[in-house]
C-alpha cells in the first residue's frame, strides 16, 4: 500500500524513528508531501558550515526546531592558521532565533565566535533552553557563562570544551539559582580562574541527576572528595587538581569515596597531579571505557603504564607520548576492547627525545583488534610499520598520523611514506578521515584516489610533487567533503580542473600552495554557488599596495572556499577578500 | 634580477637544528655537491634538475631517492619560481620568496606556523604543569610532594618562545635559554627584526644596506619606537623587565614587539598569584 495514503501523522510517526541527519535529509527529498511532513517534524538540525545558509531560511523551513548544531571556522583555525576575527559569529543566529517562535532547547557550537551578549540573549530568549555545548569557541567571558547559569531555569547541560574564555574570576557558578536542580552535565575544565568552591558543593548537592562533572584546575582534592560524596552516581568525571599528601586524612577519605563511585565510566583531567596519589584511582579503572590523560603532563611514563594496566575495559584512550613505546605495549596487552587511541606530544618542539615511534603503533595494532580511530603524534614512521598496521587493522574509520618533522622520510630506507599510507588506505575500506605527514610524493595521492572510496575528510601538509597529486584525490575520492591542504605544490591546474566537484563538498582550504589570485577569481566567477575567500593577513595595507596586489598572478597565501545557498557573507573583516 | 634582496630576506631564517626538521644521521653523505645544492638561488624553475631553494636535507634526500624526477612540470607560469607574496612583503610580485611557500615544497626550514597541528593550550602543557607544581598550593595538609622532573633528558634543552613584531605576519622564535639577561634578549630582538624592518621600509633595495638599517633600541625602557611585552603562563600581557630574569623565563609563554605608541590601548594585566579561592 502506498505510504501516501497514510495520514500525515502516521508518516510523521514513522519519521520519528529516522534520526540521523543524513537519513532525514534523504527522506525530505522523496516527494513534496514527505518534504512537508519532514520539515514540520524535524527537531534537530546540523549545519556544518554556518555560512552555507542563513538563520532566516533555517527558521522558515524548520519551525519545530529544538536543537541546532553550528560549526564556524575551518579546521585549521585550531592551529592558528585563521585570524581570530575571520568570522563564525553566532550572534546573528541567536538574534534571529530569538525573534522567531522557535522553542530552542539545545545549541551546540564548534569553532564559533560567541560573545557575552550572545550568551545573555540566548539565556533570556528560550524558556525551555536545556543544553549548551561550546567546543573550541572564543569571544566570551565568564560573565556570559554567568548569564546562562542565572537565567536558564531548566538547564541540563553546560559543556565547555577547550574554549578560550576570558576569566573575570567572578562568581558565575554562584549564579545558578537555588531552584536549579536539573543539571545533568557540567563541564568547566577549560576555565582558568577561581570559582566559589562552596557554591560548587551546594550545586552538586542539589543536582540529583548529575552524571557528568568536569572540574577546572583550581578545584582541589579535598573539594573533589566532598563532591564525590554528594555525587557517587557520576558516570563521567574530570578531575581538576589532584595533589595531596598520600598520608593525609583527606586523601584517605577520597580513597574511600572513590570506591563508592562505581558508575564512573569516563575519567579525564588531572590538570595538576601528584603521581603518588594515583593509586586511589585504581579501583575505578576496572570499569572505565574512556580515559583522557592528555592534559596531565605531570604523569610520567611509569605512572601512566601502572594506571593503564588496571583498565581492561577501555575503549577510548587519550594519552601523552611520554607513555613511550613500551607503555603502548602495555596498552596493547591490556586494553583488548580499545577502539580509539590518541597519543599527543608532551613536548612538541623537542625533536630529539623520541617518546613514541612506529614501534608503539605496531604493538597497538597487533594487540587491539577493535581499533578504528587513531590520532598519533610521533617522531618517526616507517613504511614497514604502516604496512604491518594495515595488515593488523582493517577497521579504521579515522587515521591521523602526525610525524613531528613534517617531511621526514622513512628513517630506515630513506624512502617517502607513500607505500605505507597506500597500504593503510588499501586495507581500510571504511576509512572516512585521513591525515598525512612525513615525506610524501604524488604517489600516495594516487593510492588515496584509487582506494579511499569512502574518504570524507583529508588533511595534507608539505606533501606531493605536482598538481597530479591533488587531482588524483579530487577525481578518485567520490565521497570527499572536506579537503584541507597546506604547503603543497598544488596550483591552478589542479584547482580548476573540475570546478563542479566543490559543489559536492563542504569546503576546501589551501594555504601556502601555488594557487594564483586569477585562478580563484575564475573559480568564483564560474561557480556562483561557491564562496571563494582569500585571507590576506597583512592588516596594514596601504591602498597603493592593495591595487598592485590585485595582480592576477599573485600567489594567494590562504584560500578557503565552500558551497553555500546564500552567496557572500556580509561579516567578513577587511583582510578577507570575497571573490 | 632581484635575487640579492630576497637572498637577504632568506638569510634571516635561521637553520634551527633543534627543531629536528633538519637532517638526522641517516647515513646520507653530504659532499660538497650537496652543499652546492643547499645554496639559495632564484630563477625560473626547470633550469636545473635540482631544486632551487633548498634549506635542508630534504633536497639531498630527494636527489638520492629520485634522481631523474623533475619536480617542475613546465605547464605552470614561469613566475612561479618562488615568488609567493602578500602585499606587505613586496610591491612587485616578482620579488622575495616567502618560505616555506617556495615551489620546492616541504623543506620546512625551521619553526613553521601551525605545526605541529595541535591546539595552543597543548603546546604549553609541559611548562604549565611544571610551574603549577612549583607554586605552593594552600591546602592545610600540604607537605612538599616529591616531583620527578619530567623526562630529565628534555630539561636543559632550549626554551623556544614565539616572538612577533607589529606589522609582520610572520614571527620568529627565540631560545630564551641562550640568554641570561634582559639586555641580551633586547639585543637579540634587534638582530632578528632590524633587517625585516629595513626591508619593509625599502623593499626595492637591492642588497643589504647596513647604513640604512635602524637599530631597534629602547624596547625595555619605553623610550624606543618599539616595546617588548610578553604573555605569561596565566595568559596576561606584561611588560618585559619587571621581574628577575629567571622568573621571567619560567613564566613567559610568548613575546611581542609592539609599537610603543600603541601601548596604552593594550590591556596589560597585573600578575595574579594564587589560584585557590576559599569561601
Amino acid at each position: 500500500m502506498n505510504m501516501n495514503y497514510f495520514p500525515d501523522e502516521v508518516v510523521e510517526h514513522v519519521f520519528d524513528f529516522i534520526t540521523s541527519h543524513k537519513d532525514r535529509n534523504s527522506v525530505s527529498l522523496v516527494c513534496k508531501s514527505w518534504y512537508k511532513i519532514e520539515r514540520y517534524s524535524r527537531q534537530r538540525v546540523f549545519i556544518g558550515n554556518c555560512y552555507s545558509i542563513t538563520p532566516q531560511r533555517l527558521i522558515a523551513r524548520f519551525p519545530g526546531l529544538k536543537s541546532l548544531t553550528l560549526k564556524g571556522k575551518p579546521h585549521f583555525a585550531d592551529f592558528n592558521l585563521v585570524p581570530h576575527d575571520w568570522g563564525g559569529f553566532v550572534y546573528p543566529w541567536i538574534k534571529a532565533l530569538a525573534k522567531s517562535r522557535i522553542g530552542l532547547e539545545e545549541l551546540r557550537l564548534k569553532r564559533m565566535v560567541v560573545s557575552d551578549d550572545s550568551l545573555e540573549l540566548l539565556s533570556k530568549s528560550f524558556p525551555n533552553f536545556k543544553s549548551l555545548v561550546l567546543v573550541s569557541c572564543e569571544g566570551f567571558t565568564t560573565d556570559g557563562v554567568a548569564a546562562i547559569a542565572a537565567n536558564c531555569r531548566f538547564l541540563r547541560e553546560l559543556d565547555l570544551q577547550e574554549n578560550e574564555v576570558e576569566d573575570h574570576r567572578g562568581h558565575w557558578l554562584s549564579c545558578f539559582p537555588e531552584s536549579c536542580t536539573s543539571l545533568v552535565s557540567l563541564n568547566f575544565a577549560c576555565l582558568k580562574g577561581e570559582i566559589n568552591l562552596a557554591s560548587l558543593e551546594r550545586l552538586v548537592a542539589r543536582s540529583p541527576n548529575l552524571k557528568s562533572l568536569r572540574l577546572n584546575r583550581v578545584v582541589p582534592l579535598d573539594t573533589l572528595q566532598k563532591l564525590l560524596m554528594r555525587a557517587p552516581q557520576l558516570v563521567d568525571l574530570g578531575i581538576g587538581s589532584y595533589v595531596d599528601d598520600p598520608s593525609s586524612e583527606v586523601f584517605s577519605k577520597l580513597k574511600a569515596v572513590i570506591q563508592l563511585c562505581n558508575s564512573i565510566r569516563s575519567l579525564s583531567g588531572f590538570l595538576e597531579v601528584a603521581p603518588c596519589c594515583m593509586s586511589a584511582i585504581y579501583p575505578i579503572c576496572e570499569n572505565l571505557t574512556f580515559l583522557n590523560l592528555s592534559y596531565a603532563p605531570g604523569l610520567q611514563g611509569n605512572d601512566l603504564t601502572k594506571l593503564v594496566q588496571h583498565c581492561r575495559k577501555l575503549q577510548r584512550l587519550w594519552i601523552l607520548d611520554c607513555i613511550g613505546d613500551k607503555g603502548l605495549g602495555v596498552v596493547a596487552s591490556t586494553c583488548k576492547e580499545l577502539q580509539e587511541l590518541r597519543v599527543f606530544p608532551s613536548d612538541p618542539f623537542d625533536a630529539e627525545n623520541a617518546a613514541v615511534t612506529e614501534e608503539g603503533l605496531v604493538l597497538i595494532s597487533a594487540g587491539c583488534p577493535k581499533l578504528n580511530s587513531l590520532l598519533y603524534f610521533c617522531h618517526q614512521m616507517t613504511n614497514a610499520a604502516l604496512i604491518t598496521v594495515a595488515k593488523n587493522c582493517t577497521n579504521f574509520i579515522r587515521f591521523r598520523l602526525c610525524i613531528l618533522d613534517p617531511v621526514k622520510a622513512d628513517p630506515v630506507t630513506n624512502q617517502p611514506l607513500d607505500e605505507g599510507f597506500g597500504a593503510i588506505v588499501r586495507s581500510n575500506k571504511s576509512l572516512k578521515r585521513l591525515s598525512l605527514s612525513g615525506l610524501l610524493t604524488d604517489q600516495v595521492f594516487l593510492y588515496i584516489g584509487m582506494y579511499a572510496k569512502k574518504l570524507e575528510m583529508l588533511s595534507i601538509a608539505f606533501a606531493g610533487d605536482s598538481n597530479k597529486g591533488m587531482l588524483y584525490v579530487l577525481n578518485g575520492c567520490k565521497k570527499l567533503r572536506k579537503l584541507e591542504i597546506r604547503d603543497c605544490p598544488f596550483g591552478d591546474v589542479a584547482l580548476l580542473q573540475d570546478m563542479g566537484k566543490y559543489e559536492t563538498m563542504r569546503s576546501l582550504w589551501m594555504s601556502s600552495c601555488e594557487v594564483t589570485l586569477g585562478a580563484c577569481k575564475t573559480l568564483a566567477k564560474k561557480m556562483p554557488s561557491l564562496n571563494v575567500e582569500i585571507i590576506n593577513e597583512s592588516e596594514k595595507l596601504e591602498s597603493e599596495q592593495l591595487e598592485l596586489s590585485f595582480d592576477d598572478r599573485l600567489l594567494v597565501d590562504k584560500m578557503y572556499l565552500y558551497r553555500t545557498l546564500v552567496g557572500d557573507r556580509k561579516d567578513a573583516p577587511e583582510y578577507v577578500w570575497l571573490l | 634580477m632581484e635575487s640579492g634582496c630576497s637572498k637577504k630576506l632568506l638569510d634571516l631564517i635561521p637553520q634551527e637544528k633543534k627543531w629536528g626538521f633538519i637532517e638526522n644521521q641517516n647515513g646520507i653523505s653530504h659532499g660538497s655537491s650537496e652543499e652546492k645544492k643547499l645554496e639559495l638561488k632564484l630563477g625560473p624553475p626547470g633550469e636545473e634538475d635540482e631544486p632551487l631553494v633548498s634549506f635542508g636535507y630534504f633536497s639531498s634526500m630527494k636527489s638520492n631517492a629520485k634522481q631523474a624526477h623533475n619536480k617542475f612540470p613546465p605547464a605552470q607560469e614561469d613566475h612561479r619560481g618562488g615568488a609567493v607574496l602578500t602585499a606587505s612583503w613586496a610591491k612587485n610580485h616578482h620579488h622575495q620568496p616567502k618560505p616555506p611557500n617556495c615551489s620546492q615544497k616541504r623543506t620546512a626550514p625551521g619553526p613553521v606556523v601551525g605545526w605541529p597541528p595541535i591546539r595552543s593550550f597543548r603546546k604549553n602543557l609541559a611548562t604549565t604543569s611544571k610551574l603549577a607544581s612549583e607554586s605552593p598550593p594552600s591546602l592545610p595538609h600540604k607537605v612538599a610532594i616529591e616531583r620527578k622532573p619530567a623526562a630529565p633528558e628534555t630539561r636543559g634543552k632550549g626554551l623556544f618562545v614565539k616572538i612577533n613584531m607589529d606589522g609582520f605576519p610572520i614571527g620568529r622564535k627565540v631560545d630564551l635559554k641562550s640568554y641570561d639577561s634582559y639586555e641580551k634578549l633586547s639585543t637579540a630582538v634587534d638582530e632578528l627584526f632590524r633587517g625585516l624592518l629595513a626591508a619593509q621600509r625599502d623593499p626595492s633595495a637591492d642588497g643589504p644596506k647596513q647604513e640604512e638599517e635602524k637599530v631597534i633600541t629602547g624596547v625595555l625602557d619605553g623610550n624606543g619606537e618599539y616595546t617588548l611585552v610578553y604573555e605569561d603562563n596565566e595568559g596576561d600581557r606584561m611588560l618585559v623587565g619587571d621581574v628577575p630574569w629567571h622568573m621571567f623565563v619560567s613564566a613567559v609563554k610568548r613575546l611581542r614587539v609592539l609599537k610603543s605608541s600603541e601601548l596604552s590601548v593594550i590591556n596589560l594585566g597585573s600578575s595574579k598569584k594564587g589560584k585557590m579561592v576559599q569561601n
Side-chain angles (χ1 to χ4, degrees), chain A residues 542-558:
Chain A
E542 303 294 333
S543 53
E544 310 90 42
Q545 285 172 309
L546 257 178
E547 292 232 4
L548 284 161
S549 63
F550 276 126
D551 187 324
D552 281 0
R553 290 168 293 173
L554 178 73
L555 290 186
V556 304
D557 190 24
K558 296 175 184 173

Side-chain angles (χ1 to χ4, degrees), chain A residues 113 201 254 401:
Chain A
V113 177
E201 287 176 46
L254 178 72
L401 184 67

Side-chain angles (χ1 to χ4, degrees), chain A residues 533-571:
Chain A
E533 300 190 4
I534 309 292
I535 299 171
N536 184 13
E537 274 182 277
S538 25
E539 285 112 341
K540 303 191 166 82
L541 290 177
E542 303 294 333
S543 53
E544 310 90 42
Q545 285 172 309
L546 257 178
E547 292 232 4
L548 284 161
S549 63
F550 276 126
D551 187 324
D552 281 0
R553 290 168 293 173
L554 178 73
L555 290 186
V556 304
D557 190 24
K558 296 175 184 173
M559 179 205 72
Y560 179 54
L561 66 83
Y562 50 90
R563 67 180 174 191
T564 178
L565 293 173
V566 294
D568 280 350
R569 60 185 175 112
K570 309 286 179 287
D571 61 0

Side-chain angles (χ1 to χ4, degrees), chain A residues 93-213:
Chain A
W93 290 84
I94 296 181
K95 185 162 157 214
L97 287 162
K99 261 179 25 187
S100 75
R101 294 198 301 189
I102 299 263
L104 195 69
E105 294 184 12
E106 179 178 287
L107 187 62
R108 309 169 75 94
L109 305 177
K110 187 165 185 180
R111 275 185 225 107
M112 294 202 68
V113 177
V114 181
S115 61
D116 283 346
D117 286 346
S118 312
L119 292 176
E120 187 166 345
L121 184 59
L122 177 68
S123 73
K124 291 183 172 157
S125 308
F126 306 103
N128 273 334
F129 193 75
K130 296 195 170 71
S131 169
L132 180 64
V133 180
L134 301 178
V135 180
S136 301
C137 296
E138 57 174 347
F140 60 106
T141 76
T142 44
D143 294 346
V145 182
I148 298 287
N151 302 325
C152 299
R153 295 172 54 210
F154 303 116
L155 195 68
R156 289 200 203 146
E157 183 175 19
L158 177 59
D159 186 357
L160 306 174
Q161 295 179 34
E162 299 182 349
N163 302 291
E164 279 185 33
V165 185
E166 196 178 303
D167 204 311
H168 287 173
R169 292 170 167 82
H171 299 289
W172 65 271
L173 203 122
S174 313
C175 291
F176 281 105
E178 290 301 316
S179 56
C180 174
T181 57
S182 47
L183 273 181
V184 173
S185 168
L186 177 64
N187 174 5
F188 59 96
C190 66
L191 298 185
K192 300 197 187 81
E194 300 101 359
I195 48 147
N196 188 312
L197 297 175
S199 291
L200 176 60
E201 287 176 46
R202 285 199 299 273
L203 179 63
V204 170
R206 66 177 185 275
S207 304
N209 298 322
L210 194 67
K211 292 283 186 298
S212 169
L213 178 64

Side-chain angles (χ1 to χ4, degrees), chain B residues 8-75:
Chain B
K8 170 177 160 47
L9 207 56
L10 289 165
D11 280 344
L12 293 174
I13 311 293
Q15 305 293 311
E16 294 199 340
K17 305 233 183 283
K18 287 215 163 146
W19 275 83
F21 288 167
I22 312 302
E23 90 291 73
N24 44 37
Q25 290 68 43
N26 274 349
I28 300 167
S29 64
H30 288 284
S32 58
S33 61
E34 299 298 331
E35 279 165 325
K36 183 172 198 309
K37 287 172 203 158
L38 293 174
E39 272 177 24
L40 303 173
K41 295 188 207 102
L42 277 187
E47 269 185 352
E48 335 168 25
D49 281 347
E50 297 305 331
L52 297 176
V53 182
S54 323
F55 290 94
Y57 75 101
F58 171 70
S59 61
S60 47
M61 296 275 314
K62 284 287 286 182
S63 56
N64 286 344
K66 289 183 175 190
Q67 291 299 331
H69 183 74
N70 182 353
K71 281 165 53 74
F72 302 104

Side-chain angles (χ1 to χ4, degrees), chain A residues 253-414:
Chain A
K253 282 199 214 162
L254 178 72
K255 275 203 289 196
V257 75
I258 285 186
Q259 309 259 13
L260 302 175
C261 298
N262 46 25
S263 300
I264 295 182
R265 296 288 172 272
S266 161
L267 187 61
S268 61
F270 297 95
L271 310 172
E272 280 177 21
V273 59
C276 49
C277 295
M278 290 307 286
S279 54
I281 302 291
Y282 296 162
I284 48 172
C285 287
E286 286 294 320
N287 297 324
L288 289 181
T289 56
F290 177 39
L291 179 61
N292 181 353
L293 296 174
S294 66
Y295 302 115
L299 294 172
Q300 304 310 312
N302 291 340
D303 309 314
L304 295 174
T305 311
K306 274 199 278 191
L307 189 68
V308 156
Q309 275 172 334
H310 292 89
C311 302
R312 282 173 309 166
K313 293 202 189 133
L314 215 53
Q315 293 172 15
R316 296 167 62 211
L317 176 63
W318 294 23
I319 203 142
L320 291 175
D321 65 359
C322 45
I323 192 173
D325 286 332
K326 284 217 182 67
L328 288 178
V330 174
V331 172
S333 50
T334 311
C335 308
K336 295 305 184 183
E337 302 297 314
L338 197 68
Q339 295 174 28
E340 175 179 322
L341 175 66
R342 298 195 190 193
V343 180
F344 293 94
S346 41
D347 201 345
F349 307 117
D350 180 5
E352 292 169 37
N353 207 31
V356 299
T357 68
E358 74 276 10
E359 289 182 17
L361 183 59
V362 169
L363 289 171
I364 292 283
S365 74
C368 304
K370 299 189 181 174
L371 195 66
N372 62 37
S373 176
L374 180 76
L375 171 62
Y376 197 77
F377 285 84
C378 59
H379 289 266
Q380 63 180 48
M381 186 53 57
T382 64
N383 282 310
L386 285 174
I387 289 168
T388 305
V389 169
K391 282 208 190 87
N392 293 337
C393 295
T394 58
N395 298 321
F396 276 120
I397 299 174
R398 277 171 239 107
F399 190 90
R400 295 195 277 162
L401 184 67
C402 178
I403 303 169
L404 289 167
D405 174 350
V407 297
K408 191 162 174 153
D410 180 327
V412 172
T413 63
N414 290 333

Side-chain angles (χ1 to χ4, degrees), chain A residues 78-81 110-111 135-136 162 164 169 192 194-198 217-218 220-222 241 243-246 248-250 272-276 294-298 300 302 318 320 344-353 377 402-409 411 414-416 418 436-437 439-441 461-467 486-489 491-493 512-514 516 536-538 540-541 544-546 548-549 551 553-555 557, chain B residues 17-22 24 26-28 57-58 61-62 65-66 69 71-73 75-77 79-80 82-94 98-108 112-123 125-126 128-129 132-133 137 139-143 145-151 153-155 157 160 162 166-167 169 173 233-236 254 259 262 267 272-279:
Chain A
D78 284 352
F79 318 130
N80 300 326
L81 287 176
K110 187 165 185 180
R111 275 185 225 107
V135 180
S136 301
E162 299 182 349
E164 279 185 33
R169 292 170 167 82
K192 300 197 187 81
E194 300 101 359
I195 48 147
N196 188 312
L197 297 175
R217 72 184 320 130
V218 312
L221 192 139
D222 64 343
S241 172
V243 175
D244 203 344
D245 173 6
S248 74
E249 198 188 317
V250 167
E272 280 177 21
V273 59
C276 49
S294 66
Y295 302 115
Q300 304 310 312
N302 291 340
W318 294 23
L320 291 175
F344 293 94
S346 41
D347 201 345
F349 307 117
D350 180 5
E352 292 169 37
N353 207 31
F377 285 84
C402 178
I403 303 169
L404 289 167
D405 174 350
V407 297
K408 191 162 174 153
N414 290 333
Q415 294 299 307
D418 302 334
L436 308 170
S437 60
L439 182 63
L440 295 163
T441 72
F462 303 100
D465 307 312
S466 74
N467 285 313
R486 63 164 295 179
D487 294 278
C488 296
D492 298 348
V493 169
S512 306
C513 295
E514 292 174 11
T516 66
N536 184 13
E537 274 182 277
S538 25
K540 303 191 166 82
L541 290 177
E544 310 90 42
Q545 285 172 309
L546 257 178
L548 284 161
S549 63
D551 187 324
R553 290 168 293 173
L554 178 73
L555 290 186
D557 190 24
Chain B
K17 305 233 183 283
K18 287 215 163 146
W19 275 83
F21 288 167
I22 312 302
N24 44 37
N26 274 349
I28 300 167
Y57 75 101
F58 171 70
M61 296 275 314
K62 284 287 286 182
K66 289 183 175 190
H69 183 74
K71 281 165 53 74
F72 302 104
Q76 299 248 6
E77 298 172 90
H79 82 282
R80 198 178 44 86
V84 176
L85 311 166
T86 54
S88 75
W89 282 95
K91 291 200 194 302
N92 181 332
H93 73 264
H94 284 298
K98 181 168 92 171
N101 284 354
C102 308
S103 338
Q104 302 76 6
K105 284 294 161 245
R106 302 164 291 142
T107 49
V112 176
V113 175
W115 193 269
I118 51 173
R119 299 190 189 168
S120 323
F121 64 84
R122 287 201 185 278
K123 290 186 184 172
L125 268 184
T128 315
S129 161
S133 70
L139 289 172
H141 296 286
K142 196 74 196 76
V143 165
I145 302 277
E146 214 52 82
R147 257 189 60 86
K148 286 202 304 250
E153 314 88 276
T154 67
R155 295 287 174 251
K157 296 287 193 254
F160 287 92
K162 284 188 207 175
D166 252 358
K173 277 230 171 168
N233 51 312
E234 290 178 341
D236 297 319
R254 67 184 300 166
K259 284 223 163 78
E262 285 174 20
N267 191 12
K272 299 165 182 75
K273 297 271 183 282
K275 306 184 220 49
M276 312 289 191
V277 158
Q278 308 301 327
N279 44 334

